[in-house]
Amino acid sequence: MEPTTDRFRQQAIAALDDAGLQKALAKTAVGFPMKRLAAVNRLPEFETLRDQAVAIKDHTLDNLDWYLERFEHKVVENGGKVHWCRTGDDARAAVLDICRKAGAKTVTKGKSMVGEELAINEHLEANGIAPIETDLGEYIIQLRHEPPSHMVAPAIHVSRDQVEAAFREHHTDLDASRNLDAPEDLLKEARAILREQFIAADVGITGANFMIAETGSTVIVTNEGNGDLTQTLPRVHIVLATIEKVVPTLEDATTLLRVLARSITGQDMSVYTTFSTGPRRADDPDGPDEYHVVILDSGRSELLGGEFRDVLRCIRCGACACHCPVYTSVGGHAYGWIYSGPIAAALIPGILGLEKTADLPNASTLCGRCESVCPVRIPLPGLLRRWREKQMRDGLVSATARWALRGWTFFAAHPGLYHFGAGIKMRILGALGRRKGRFTCMPFAGGWTAGRDLPAPQGKTFQQMWSERGGRR
């Protein structure tokens, strides 16, 4: 999809006016956090595992070149091939070349954020190859021609009625009078449709939650089993991954897996955790004849060497989004690309450029909930503040905002003047709002009071009480 990250404000406003979306987001804001909390409480060593996960990712990033080369060596040793791609264009060309050499007409695809980043479906379609998403959520949004709205639950914004409408529109060869009233009916229909595609596909494409340098294996986690069918039935298996997905050992991968599912779906482990290690060998009962790993950089090397390196620790659980008051108010599509939530606001500027994504670092309250639940402890509020500072340095902030900040800085640097002005302001606000005890309309703050009541000041200010107590508790 073409990024629309420069229109976050307009897209957020539209999302707030979407009643169906707001209903779905209300469930998201409660369901996922409660499941995570229950899972964490069942595992006393969860915080220790988080510390270990941070150590694994930091060590890997410190030695990323060595582990990537080691991974390639093992893949080749096992009979596979690695394709190094600096840009999205390079990766799309590599995938298309593999498909053409295989004579592919259809491609089944497991859920892959890298595939979304590459817009690989659109690229294959433009070149006469039909891609079919096999994850149920991804299949739904493919029919609706939409990007994912969450990294783990891509169709979380879609209602059951909307799914039924999409199925009836596209599954025109089925009985028009069939019953699709229950979710189970929709699931059965999707399963029947996709089974035919699994068998017919010439190439299967999956993502990779992890690439293991020790063995040359790639790992995917799913709850539907579609990933297994995607990578074992077709003659050719293509894995799409980015450079930071590599980990040193199998043991490291299992440590990360223990915090991955718990952090978002509340599962101890996902239903399917599948390790792929090269093409089928002579005594294997199934598997592909060819095994390709397409590894994408796309700006991540630059992040690796700079102040935003910590964002590369992300293991794509999506927990930060489900705990974020901004995401749970406007949803994923408002962010304008395939990543959403706090991790999107921290990662996308590094991939697409800050000048194209200026709104995203400001799409945060900096409340810190994202950092508190991140399984690899990414300091997301700190990273967003750094992006905001860079916006200021690079002149990407409006003149009005710059003058306002300069004014605030002047008053903050002169405490006496600041307290005097604040006292006057509080008295004026108190006089204006005391009749109702709140503000339903306020000059210069209509955007704030339009959606909430602001309590009117009551009694003495904090500074007055602090001064009366001599600056002591």
Side-chain angles (χ1 to χ4, degrees), residues 57 60-61 63-69 71 82-87 114 117 208-213 240-248 293-305 309 312-314 316 339:
K57 293 296 290 185
T60 307
L61 293 175
N63 302 277
L64 189 60
D65 54 347
W66 193 90
Y67 284 118
L68 286 171
E69 289 176 0
F71 173 77
V82 172
H83 306 258
W84 300 101
C85 302
R86 180 168 293 279
T87 67
V114 182
E117 182 176 331
N209 290 87
F210 307 109
M211 302 183 293
I212 303 173
L240 303 178
T242 47
I243 58 174
E244 78 276 15
K245 292 296 187 70
V246 69
V247 296
V293 184
V294 177
I295 302 180
L296 175 67
D297 185 329
S298 191
R300 289 164 174 84
S301 292
E302 287 74 13
L303 288 172
L304 181 66
R309 188 184 91 145
L312 297 178
R313 291 209 299 258
C314 178
R316 302 293 189 270
Y339 300 108

Side-chain angles (χ1 to χ4, degrees), residues 3 42 59 67 84 117 134 238 260 288 300-301 312 378 452 459 470:
R42 292 194 302 266
H59 168 76
Y67 284 118
W84 300 101
E117 182 176 331
T134 62
I238 302 174
L260 176 58
R300 289 164 174 84
S301 292
L312 297 178
I378 299 173
R452 59 184 65 78

Side-chain angles (χ1 to χ4, degrees), residues 143-278:
L143 295 182
R144 289 168 55 86
H145 305 289
E146 293 177 335
S149 60
H150 188 276
M151 287 191 287
V152 172
I156 199 170
H157 60 289
V158 183
S159 69
R160 190 205 62 79
D161 289 341
Q162 289 173 319
V163 176
E164 178 182 349
F167 280 18
R168 291 191 183 280
E169 178 185 354
H170 291 274
H171 302 163
T172 54
D173 57 332
L174 299 179
D175 183 1
S177 63
R178 66 191 184 281
N179 188 352
L180 294 177
D181 290 342
E184 293 79 6
D185 299 325
L186 297 169
L187 180 61
K188 290 177 182 178
E189 180 162 309
R191 181 185 292 121
I193 294 290
L194 291 175
R195 286 281 171 168
E196 298 177 3
Q197 304 296 341
F198 284 127
I199 295 172
D202 305 296
V203 174
I205 299 176
T206 68
N209 290 87
F210 307 109
M211 302 183 293
I212 303 173
E214 178 183 36
T215 61
S217 306
T218 57
V219 185
I220 58 171
V221 294
T222 68
N223 282 317
E224 301 171 19
N226 62 298
D228 291 15
L229 295 173
T230 297
Q231 63 188 19
T232 57
L233 292 180
R235 293 180 292 107
V236 178
H237 177 201
I238 302 174
V239 179
L240 303 178
T242 47
I243 58 174
E244 78 276 15
K245 292 296 187 70
V246 69
V247 296
T249 67
L250 283 166
E251 183 177 358
D252 294 329
T254 57
T255 297
L256 292 165
L257 286 168
R258 294 185 71 192
V259 298
L260 176 58
R262 286 182 171 91
S263 294
I264 181 61
T265 58
Q267 298 167 282
D268 294 340
M269 294 284 283
S270 296
V271 177
Y272 297 90
T273 301
T274 306
F275 294 72
S276 299
T277 310

Side-chain angles (χ1 to χ4, degrees), residues 386-404:
R386 290 178 198 169
W387 279 122
R388 294 181 187 185
E389 291 165 2
K390 183 171 173 55
Q391 281 181 316
M392 186 65 70
R393 293 195 304 268
D394 293 352
L396 299 175
V397 178
S398 69
T400 302
R402 288 199 301 273
W403 278 108

